[in-house]
Amino acid sequence: MLHHILSFLLLSTTVQGWRPWPTTTTTTTFTTTSLTHNFTSTTLNSSKKFEGSSNLVHLKYHMGPVLTTNIAIYLIWYGKWYPTQKRIIREFISSISADTAPHPSLSGWWKTVQLYTDQTGSNISRTVTLGSEKSDRFYSHGKTLTRLSIQSVIKSFVTAKTKPLPINPKSGIYLVLTAPDVYMDTFCSDICGFHYFTFPSIVGYTLPYAWVGNSEKLCPGVCAYPFAVPDYIPGLKPVKGPNNDIGVEGMISVIAHEIAELATNPLVNAWYAGPDPIAPVEIADLCEGIYGTGGGGSYTGQMMEDQDGATYNVNGIRRRYLVQWVWNHVVNYCTGPNALDQ
């Protein structure tokens, strides 16, 4: 009975991150100074997205905790991963706090997240580090997962007899990444990633966590858009990714989405819009599908291309990435470091 009750609660309240669902797209390229930008117009279906600046967005603080001390991200690699794929994601996480990356930088993107505070006025931590990692190459919970089984995966590694993951409820993020041959319940049809917190009755602790799947085999046109496009849009060409891995390129923006929301709403009682936490609209949901200036409504915004023709909008320490913007509650619109007016 307890299992069924927990299943119902988790299914009805898990905070989910969606990706754009394109129906028509046109692209115009123009050059300013030394950068070439793609202005991509994409018509989206219904989603939790608001256009640019809006006085109708009532994002509120609900007095819950946020992650104000140094954030550690603990990675759980579920399934089989190539070393190069792990390297791309590790370097992405390591770049979130790296002030050495050239403008527009991933750390510049994180500065918007840092604007959010708790009830004492303390800001989200500027420091995000890569914590301990665990690998589950043998699919210990099978290749079809649910939201509850993700919590069981986390439990197996925080209670492992050999080198368990640290128990860090106040500043830890437990990130479960599933390989391309793993299916999550409603993956591709509704979600590409989600976040929530673990139940003490399952894991033994209340820990903020997120799941993000690699969509390369199942639905790259949905969860790795615009590096892949759906079959139902004939003639639309995908853009080239900066890291030459469609599945991982798509995961990067979803990971950024979930980390930003976990930092500002780890227990689903801090920063969100909407009447209650059952279906919260969080700081990344408000900017879903926006990657640059002009984004909003049917536009993804103006992105950049490198000399090899790869599309991106932020620089990391050694790589480039495409991440969606997040909501800035100070100015009341979506912002990012690649905005043309910055």
Side-chain angles (χ1 to χ4, degrees):
M1 176 63 72
L2 177 60
H3 176 82
H4 293 304
I5 293 173
L6 292 177
S7 298
F8 173 78
L9 289 173
L10 195 54
L11 286 171
S12 62
T13 61
T14 301
V15 183
Q16 304 171 346
W18 284 266
R19 299 285 285 158
W21 292 69
T23 54
T24 59
T25 297
T26 57
T27 301
T28 303
T29 302
F30 67 94
T31 303
T32 61
T33 60
S34 61
L35 297 177
T36 300
H37 302 268
N38 274 342
F39 185 74
T40 305
S41 168
T42 306
T43 301
L44 310 177
N45 76 347
S46 59
S47 68
K48 298 190 299 182
K49 183 177 153 359
F50 294 76
E51 299 184 19
S53 178
S54 175
N55 292 325
L56 299 178
V57 175
H58 301 296
L59 186 72
K60 295 181 180 180
Y61 177 55
H62 298 267
M63 305 305 288
V66 300
L67 303 186
T68 58
T69 55
N70 293 354
I71 300 168
I73 298 179
Y74 305 105
L75 294 179
I76 297 175
W77 305 95
Y78 191 88
K80 296 178 181 178
W81 293 85
Y82 294 111
T84 52
Q85 294 177 315
K86 291 185 176 182
R87 191 176 305 121
I88 293 169
I89 293 175
R90 287 187 187 119
E91 291 181 3
F92 169 76
I93 293 171
S94 298
S95 294
I96 293 175
S97 299
D99 292 331
T100 56
H103 178 79
S105 66
L106 184 58
S107 62
W109 170 84
W110 186 253
K111 282 181 171 60
T112 299
V113 181
Q114 287 178 247
L115 294 173
Y116 290 84
T117 62
D118 64 11
Q119 56 186 305
T120 70
S122 298
N123 291 82
I124 300 292
S125 175
R126 69 171 300 276
T127 302
V128 179
T129 60
L130 184 61
S132 305
E133 301 179 33
K134 284 290 190 178
S135 294
D136 192 338
R137 294 177 298 158
F138 301 107
Y139 308 86
S140 63
H141 290 71
K143 291 188 177 182
T144 299
L145 302 175
T146 65
R147 290 156 175 76
L148 282 179
S149 63
I150 285 292
Q151 295 204 20
S152 296
V153 170
I154 295 171
K155 177 185 178 180
S156 66
F157 289 112
V158 298
T159 60
K161 293 182 179 179
T162 304
K163 296 181 179 180
L165 291 178
I167 303 300
N168 186 358
K170 293 187 177 180
S171 61
I173 290 176
Y174 297 79
L175 183 57
V176 182
L177 306 175
T178 52
D181 57 347
V182 177
Y183 177 74
M184 164 62 68
D185 183 35
T186 71
F187 186 25
C188 299
S189 61
D190 287 321
I191 59 170
C192 300
F194 65 81
H195 75 86
Y196 205 54
F197 53 86
T198 61
F199 299 145
S201 59
I202 296 177
V203 180
Y205 308 90
T206 301
L207 306 172
Y209 77 94
W211 162 83
V212 178
N214 187 321
S215 65
E216 181 181 4
K217 292 183 178 180
L218 297 173
C219 58
V222 174
C223 294
Y225 181 85
F227 301 111
V229 297
D231 294 335
Y232 56 77
I233 309 180
L236 177 62
K237 295 182 178 180
V239 301
K240 181 181 178 182
N243 297 290
N244 300 310
D245 189 307
I246 291 175
V248 173
E249 305 279 16
M251 293 181 74
I252 291 296
S253 190
V254 182
I255 291 171
H257 180 122
E258 302 305 334
I259 290 175
E261 293 184 344
L262 273 169
T264 55
N265 197 27
L267 302 182
V268 201
N269 61 357
W271 288 94
Y272 63 88
D276 57 55
I278 296 300
V281 179
E282 300 169 286
I283 71 166
D285 296 326
L286 290 165
C287 305
E288 183 184 346
I290 298 178
Y291 298 90
T293 300
S298 61
Y299 301 104
T300 55
Q302 299 168 12
M303 302 173 288
M304 296 176 286
E305 287 186 358
D306 65 19
Q307 59 185 5
D308 297 321
T311 297
Y312 71 102
N313 66 353
V314 293
N315 292 291
I317 301 171
R318 286 175 290 273
R319 299 176 184 271
R320 290 167 170 161
Y321 308 98
L322 183 67
V323 298
Q324 68 154 89
W325 285 8
V326 291
W327 187 261
N328 184 324
H329 70 299
V330 176
V331 294
N332 215 40
Y333 57 79
C334 299
T335 57
N338 60 311
L340 295 184
D341 58 355
Q342 295 185 4

